[in-house]
Amino acid sequence: MRAYIIKRLLLMIPTLFGITLISFSIIRLAPGDPAVLKARAGSEGITDQAMAKKIIEQTQRIYGLDKPILLNFKLWTVDKNIARLKDMLKDGDVPYEIKDPLLTKIKRAGKGVVYPAMTAFLSGEGSQVFREDLIDVIINRTPLRVVEGWSLAEKESYIRDWWKNNEREYRLTGSGKLLMTFTEAQYGNWVRRLVTLNFGESFKDKRPVIDILKERVPVSIRITMTGLFLAYLIAIPIGVFSATHQYSLLDKMLTTFLFMLYSMPSFWVATMMIVYLCGGDFWNLFPVSGLHSINWQDMPIFKQLLDHVWHLILPVVCFTYGSFAFLSRMMRTGMLETIRQDFITTARAKGLSERVVIMKHAFRNSVIPIVTMLSALLPWMIGGSFIIETIFTIPGMGYLGFTSILARDYPVIMAIFTISALLDLIGILLSDITYALVDPRISYT
Amino acid sequence: MDATARQEVDSNRSGLAEPITPGMPERPERKQGYWHIVWRQLQKNKFAMVGLYCVGFLVFVAIFADLLANDKPLLIKYDGKISSPVVTYYGVSLGLLNYPPEFQNKKFKDIAQELGDGDFIVFPPVKYSPNDYDLRYHITAPSKVHLLGTDETGRDILSRMIHGTRISLSVGIVAVSIYTLIGIILGALAGYFGGWIDIIISRFIELMMTFPTFFLIITIVAFLPPSIYNIMLVIGITGWTGVARFVRGEFYRVKNIDYVQAAHALGFTHFRIIFRHVLPNAVAPVFVTVTFGIAGAILTESGLSFLGFGVPPDQASWGSILSSSRQLLPEGWWLTTFPGAAIFFTIVVINLVGEGLRDAMDPRIAKM
């Protein structure tokens, strides 16, 4: 058993890797570089190409988008590229369009550019333009700040002083270079930030994503858990009843009803409820949206609770009925299959009462697969929360996802992706382990 | 021995046993083929058959949507000439034909007013095209003029729903075809070869199942230009896990059966064994998954269109009609009720067929 759990945990690693990779590719898939889009807003009216490029570079640097995507191979060619630049500039400056691609290549080496660039700089060779560009590259990749209007000599001495104390940090060894190949890339950065739960800052709200998630995720989890709990609570007895009274009138009605319920699109049910129950041309029984009434703050605590429940009834119903119908049908089928097995006949032949046969022998055996359905339901419910929360304007993760996609708020989108996939993964793992624990017939080798 | 030589031997051999008959040798007719049994079982299931007829009806509506709801007449006799503008329209939209000059820059509804003696005009049952806007009828409840009401630009809901059938069904069928193909290929590879290939593909399946698929689809679709083809493709790319898992399991089961071993012993290529020998025996139950899958894909498309990430605004889809009701909530009950009912009806009948098919294919029942 322990071996099985360890194996499952180990197998989670490639899955996790895949999840981060897909979440990450989403941002690459998006049309238009987000940094460019963002910088464009700030650089209206700037006609100087080099200046515009500088602004874009700055924005890219803030979001780490100026490095290679998956692996940084530019690290390994940076020496050669610097030599080429030196060669290109030996007779003075060349047009920007010719120089720029090479400079970009050099800068893409990330932190690894500093050491070779400093070596070239300290050797004192090359034309003056070359040295100016080198200084540019070094400043781009280090926390150095140069005051506008300094002469070349002043800059040089400033960098030399700084290098004396910081050389060690930037020195490249073979293994260090190999490590940097991974870490000095966008994907590596993203994973590193992920592990520390640093999802960056929302483009839209200018707040750390993790703070926004802290507000939103609990709301969604509360609704999901309530929904799941209710679904199981009602579905299991109904399924058992249906199976033990197979072909009775009530069973037939229940089966038909559940079948219809199962086929109803939740967004339709939600909009229908709003149209017919929330004060359109028909009844006015429930609030249309939100979690609280406007004057919620001023209510006594008991009324606050009541108000909250009143707001949650329709969303939770919409959220629950699908899984409820699904679970009831599964429970009925599972129970019917168990009842037909030999050990139930044996139990009856032993003279056990019908109640004991059903509750102790049949029920226990057929409820296990239902419990593990959790792993199939979770991703589905998270997907469902997207629509339901949007329709009822509930400030949860699903609604956050919807608004973030509309606003192209990449950091938030990526964070939601990862979090919900992680939640799913944990759910699947838990239900698999429960299954292995409860059902001794299954061997895991 | 080359192919022709083998053929000679074969024909010689058969020549010994019986007189040579020209053409294909006659096969003894199989009375109880697999699909024959399944079909007979399905026919016994009343609900499934009703579902099947309803699906047939939907397919009919989808194919003949242009003849059922259109602002162009089916037939017109004008100035003594008989023509069918509906049919001509196909040519016009392809750039091959032009309307006769008397019909150009004129609405057929106006032409209908000025018909002479002996002229006639036959309109389709619904006299509006899905994009026929009429601001005089801006958001009106069902009435005699517009049976199911109009939306915010006065477009006829019934006409949009008829044309929406086409979108919904084609999204369902194409998307599911794409993912069935992916699923069968990946599942077959994993189940047949096992080992490392299986481990990699299984991890991939688990990965895709872990992802909140609907969110993934919305994100991708939101970044692409709105188009029905993108939706088909994205649903197709994200939906294959169920089929792949199923086919993988079937391949695991079938690959150790004697006839597959025999095929190995005969030195057949893996390709041939997979596609000619194992697949036909493993693939039948996939049809059940496919049937439910079509319902699921239709649901996904309408959900996407409902949120506004689906079809472009000029295309009618059930989801997009529902979506136009969102701004009016809680008013505008007809915008919510009818398109949603259409989605619901479609899902129910397809699921009925799926359940019937599943029961009919269940070997425990077939034996009875």
Side-chain angles (χ1 to χ4, degrees), chain A residues 233-408:
Chain A
L233 196 72
I234 314 170
I236 290 177
I238 285 195
V240 172
F241 177 86
S242 245
T244 48
H245 297 76
Q246 201 189 2
Y247 301 133
S248 69
L249 183 66
L250 201 56
D251 169 50
K252 277 181 188 161
M253 278 163 58
L254 267 175
T255 315
T256 318
F257 172 68
L258 289 175
F259 179 78
M260 302 285 240
L261 209 58
Y262 179 68
S263 307
M264 277 187 191
S266 63
F267 53 89
W268 183 47
V269 174
T271 42
M272 289 287 272
M273 282 176 165
I274 293 182
V275 165
Y276 288 97
L277 301 177
C278 298
D281 303 329
F282 303 89
W283 293 284
N284 188 2
L285 301 176
F286 293 100
V288 176
S289 65
L291 281 177
H292 314 289
S293 299
I294 303 163
N295 55 346
W296 193 68
Q297 294 292 341
D298 311 326
M299 292 179 181
I301 190 100
F302 176 70
K303 265 200 131 177
Q304 273 188 346
L305 194 72
L306 216 63
D307 182 69
H308 194 47
V309 172
W310 187 51
H311 276 80
L312 277 180
I313 288 178
L314 289 190
V316 168
V317 167
C318 291
F319 212 58
T320 310
Y321 78 86
S323 358
F324 156 70
F326 174 72
L327 286 173
S328 311
R329 284 154 57 84
M330 293 303 284
M331 188 71 214
R332 180 176 181 271
T333 329
M335 198 69 184
L336 282 176
E337 265 178 24
T338 318
I339 286 176
R340 292 209 186 107
Q341 281 178 18
D342 290 342
F343 72 92
I344 295 296
T345 318
T346 314
R348 288 211 175 103
K350 280 198 303 189
L352 293 178
S353 71
E354 189 62 22
R355 200 186 136 77
V356 176
V357 172
I358 295 297
M359 293 319 292
K360 209 171 167 188
H361 294 252
F363 175 71
R364 279 193 180 185
N365 274 291
S366 44
V367 84
I368 297 167
I370 303 299
V371 172
T372 59
M373 279 295 149
L374 192 67
S375 63
L377 282 178
L378 260 181
W380 195 48
M381 290 198 94
I382 287 177
S385 74
F386 210 94
I387 288 188
I388 302 295
E389 286 181 9
T390 304
I391 295 175
F392 289 102
T393 344
I394 291 169
M397 206 165 68
Y399 186 51
L400 177 69
F402 177 74
T403 47
S404 308
I405 288 177
L406 284 185
R408 298 280 189 277

Side-chain angles (χ1 to χ4, degrees), chain A residues 3 23 39 53 85 111 122 145 148 157 162 169 188 193 208 219 239 257 264 272 309-310 314 327 332 412 420 422 445:
Chain A
S23 312
K53 170 99 183 168
L85 185 71
K111 206 173 153 190
L122 292 172
R145 287 286 165 270
E148 206 63 48
S157 70
W162 169 82
E169 192 191 329
R193 285 184 12 220
V219 177
F257 172 68
M264 277 187 191
M272 289 287 272
V309 172
W310 187 51
L314 289 190
L327 286 173
R332 180 176 181 271
V412 182
S420 45
L422 260 178
T445 43

Side-chain angles (χ1 to χ4, degrees), chain B residues 206-221:
Chain B
E206 184 179 311
L207 173 67
M208 290 302 287
M209 294 187 77
T210 313
F211 252 92
T213 323
F214 191 68
F215 190 16
L216 184 68
I217 293 175
I218 289 186
T219 315
I220 301 176
V221 168

Side-chain angles (χ1 to χ4, degrees), chain B residues 88-302:
Chain B
T88 320
Y89 176 74
Y90 288 112
V92 173
S93 58
L94 287 173
L96 300 173
L97 292 173
N98 269 322
Y99 282 123
E102 64 264 29
F103 294 156
Q104 279 175 11
N105 305 320
K106 245 183 175 179
K107 283 198 166 176
F108 284 103
K109 288 195 183 96
D110 301 331
I111 292 173
Q113 305 297 324
E114 49 192 68
L115 289 177
D117 277 347
D119 289 351
F120 61 85
I121 188 162
V122 183
F123 275 109
V126 179
K127 277 190 272 184
Y128 307 94
S129 281
N131 286 318
D132 245 1
Y133 61 89
D134 182 352
L135 293 176
R136 286 171 305 170
Y137 284 97
H138 157 84
I139 317 180
T140 50
S143 62
K144 267 187 188 158
V145 187
H146 293 280
L147 285 179
L148 299 186
T150 58
D151 67 1
E152 71 277 7
T153 49
R155 295 176 294 193
D156 184 66
I157 297 300
L158 182 56
S159 169
R160 288 180 78 71
M161 275 174 60
I162 289 172
H163 284 262
T165 316
R166 197 178 264 186
I167 304 267
S168 292
L169 289 195
S170 53
V171 167
I173 291 166
V174 175
V176 173
S177 308
I178 294 174
Y179 78 55
T180 308
L181 196 70
I182 302 177
I184 285 181
I185 291 174
L186 287 181
L189 288 178
Y192 181 78
F193 289 109
W196 272 107
I197 297 178
D198 183 28
I199 289 179
I200 292 171
I201 293 178
S202 297
R203 278 319 91 198
F204 198 36
I205 293 174
E206 184 179 311
L207 173 67
M208 290 302 287
M209 294 187 77
T210 313
F211 252 92
T213 323
F214 191 68
F215 190 16
L216 184 68
I217 293 175
I218 289 186
T219 315
I220 301 176
V221 168
F223 290 155
L224 297 172
S227 138
I228 173 175
Y229 303 108
N230 285 336
I231 294 179
M232 292 172 177
L233 205 66
V234 173
I235 298 178
I237 293 173
T238 49
W240 51 270
T241 49
V243 178
R245 277 215 321 181
F246 198 86
V247 172
R248 174 178 169 271
E250 286 293 299
F251 262 69
Y252 253 102
R253 187 177 62 78
V254 173
K255 76 171 175 186
N256 289 322
I257 298 179
D258 289 343
Y259 73 88
V260 181
Q261 300 297 323
H264 275 297
L266 285 169
F268 290 159
T269 59
H270 288 308
F271 186 83
R272 179 171 173 168
I273 297 175
I274 290 179
F275 287 101
R276 293 286 304 277
H277 298 267
V278 186
L279 195 59
N281 290 291
V283 85
V286 172
F287 278 89
V288 179
T289 322
V290 165
T291 315
F292 289 124
I294 292 176
I298 291 175
L299 207 56
T300 307
E301 184 275 325
S302 42

Side-chain angles (χ1 to χ4, degrees), chain A residues 412-427:
Chain A
V412 182
I413 297 174
M414 285 163 85
I416 293 181
F417 253 119
T418 323
I419 295 272
S420 45
L422 260 178
L423 287 179
D424 284 350
L425 206 61
I426 292 169

Side-chain angles (χ1 to χ4, degrees), chain A residues 76-304:
Chain A
W76 303 85
T77 54
V78 66
D79 290 322
K80 217 164 59 192
N81 284 335
I82 289 178
R84 270 175 63 201
L85 185 71
K86 189 165 128 189
D87 201 39
M88 185 189 277
L89 298 175
K90 66 174 184 272
D91 303 323
D93 208 354
V94 293
Y96 178 77
E97 291 79 17
I98 301 173
K99 188 169 70 172
D100 182 56
L102 192 58
L103 265 178
T104 313
K105 257 188 207 168
I106 293 173
K107 281 180 195 159
R108 278 175 86 85
K111 206 173 153 190
V113 80
V114 178
Y115 191 75
M118 276 311 287
T119 319
F121 174 74
L122 292 172
S123 71
E125 292 165 13
S127 63
Q128 196 188 341
V129 196
F130 172 63
R131 298 179 66 76
E132 273 173 6
D133 281 337
L134 270 185
I135 291 172
D136 232 30
V137 169
I138 293 166
I139 289 167
N140 187 282
R141 284 304 174 199
T142 53
L144 283 172
R145 287 286 165 270
V146 182
V147 179
E148 206 63 48
W150 273 3
S151 69
L152 183 60
E154 275 172 314
K155 283 184 193 169
E156 282 192 7
S157 70
Y158 170 64
I159 290 176
R160 267 177 223 275
D161 280 347
W162 169 82
W163 186 244
K164 274 178 206 146
N165 299 323
N166 294 285
E167 188 186 346
R168 181 182 299 228
E169 192 191 329
Y170 291 94
R171 180 169 290 158
L172 280 179
T173 55
S175 60
K177 219 168 166 179
L178 198 64
L179 188 69
M180 264 194 203
T181 308
F182 293 99
T183 56
E184 283 300 297
Q186 292 182 30
Y187 177 66
N189 271 348
W190 150 242
V191 170
R192 195 173 57 203
R193 285 184 12 220
L194 203 73
V195 173
T196 54
L197 287 181
N198 172 11
F199 294 108
E201 200 178 66
S202 155
F203 285 173
K204 201 178 75 183
D205 296 359
K206 305 269 180 293
R207 290 170 57 202
V209 175
I210 190 75
D211 287 357
I212 304 179
L213 284 178
K214 270 183 200 156
E215 288 167 17
R216 301 300 193 92
V217 174
V219 177
S220 289
I221 289 185
R222 200 158 62 221
I223 297 184
T224 314
M225 286 301 148
T226 318
L228 271 178
F229 177 72
L230 285 176
Y232 273 101
L233 196 72
I234 314 170
I236 290 177
I238 285 195
V240 172
F241 177 86
S242 245
T244 48
H245 297 76
Q246 201 189 2
Y247 301 133
S248 69
L249 183 66
L250 201 56
D251 169 50
K252 277 181 188 161
M253 278 163 58
L254 267 175
T255 315
T256 318
F257 172 68
L258 289 175
F259 179 78
M260 302 285 240
L261 209 58
Y262 179 68
S263 307
M264 277 187 191
S266 63
F267 53 89
W268 183 47
V269 174
T271 42
M272 289 287 272
M273 282 176 165
I274 293 182
V275 165
Y276 288 97
L277 301 177
C278 298
D281 303 329
F282 303 89
W283 293 284
N284 188 2
L285 301 176
F286 293 100
V288 176
S289 65
L291 281 177
H292 314 289
S293 299
I294 303 163
N295 55 346
W296 193 68
Q297 294 292 341
D298 311 326
M299 292 179 181
I301 190 100
F302 176 70
K303 265 200 131 177
Q304 273 188 346

